[in-house]
Amino acid sequence: MTDCLFCKIAQGEIQADVVFEDGDVVAFRDINPQTPVHVLVIPRKHIVGFSDLTEGDEWLVGKIARTAARIAEAEGVAESGYRCVVNNGPHAQQSVPHLHMHVLGGRQMSWPPG
Ligand code: 5GP
Ligand code: ZN
């Protein structure tokens, strides 16, 4: 996908504070952090959102989840707690149409979300 912000970050065309990457996923700090730790985990593959996952992507979702857990550990919030969020579509206010998992932590959060 040529005109996608997160594809460009994954390809290194747009700078980001990358905390982890491998051949499948990239994790980088959110430009507008909502919590002391706020990292986005994305697949390198362009998938618009959660609803656009197709058969064969199951392993990739597991990879994203496992990466999020490893980042929480590395960022020191695994014990205090953290939240993994995937916003999908307008009601959830997804603003970037490339699948991403937010990893949020480092302060007390409330529930339910607004
Ligand atoms: P969404 O609202 O789609 O769930 O989350 C998109 C996230 O991407 C937002 O938290 C926003 O701050 C972040 N974001 C948007 N543009 C950029 C950017 O250019 N760089 C980084 N690092 N994060 C971005
Ligand atoms: Zn993309």
Side-chain angles (χ1 to χ4, degrees):
M1 182 86 179
T2 50
D3 197 26
C4 169
L5 174 63
F6 284 0
C7 280
K8 286 179 179 169
I9 286 177
Q11 287 155 17
E13 287 174 29
I14 289 177
Q15 195 274 332
D17 187 357
V18 174
V19 296
F20 177 82
E21 63 182 319
D22 68 9
D24 306 314
V25 298
V26 183
F28 52 93
R29 295 192 196 283
D30 197 293
I31 204 166
N32 182 23
Q34 300 302 308
T35 46
V37 173
H38 189 172
V39 172
L40 302 173
V41 184
I42 67 167
R44 287 191 183 277
K45 178 184 176 185
H46 181 78
I47 300 171
V48 171
F50 211 63
S51 297
D52 303 286
L53 289 161
T54 54
E55 203 176 337
D57 288 333
E58 291 86 352
W59 69 274
L60 190 52
V61 178
K63 182 86 188 251
I64 291 166
R66 177 76 186 117
T67 301
R70 287 179 58 191
I71 285 163
E73 188 78 44
E75 296 286 324
V77 297
E79 219 168 289
S80 52
Y82 60 97
R83 190 172 287 170
C84 297
V85 174
V86 178
N87 293 321
N88 188 85
H91 272 186
Q93 295 199 317
Q94 181 181 0
S95 61
V96 178
H98 180 128
L99 177 64
H100 48 283
M101 179 176 282
H102 297 256
V103 183
L104 299 146
R107 68 162 167 81
Q108 181 64 53
M109 284 172 269
S110 59
W111 190 263

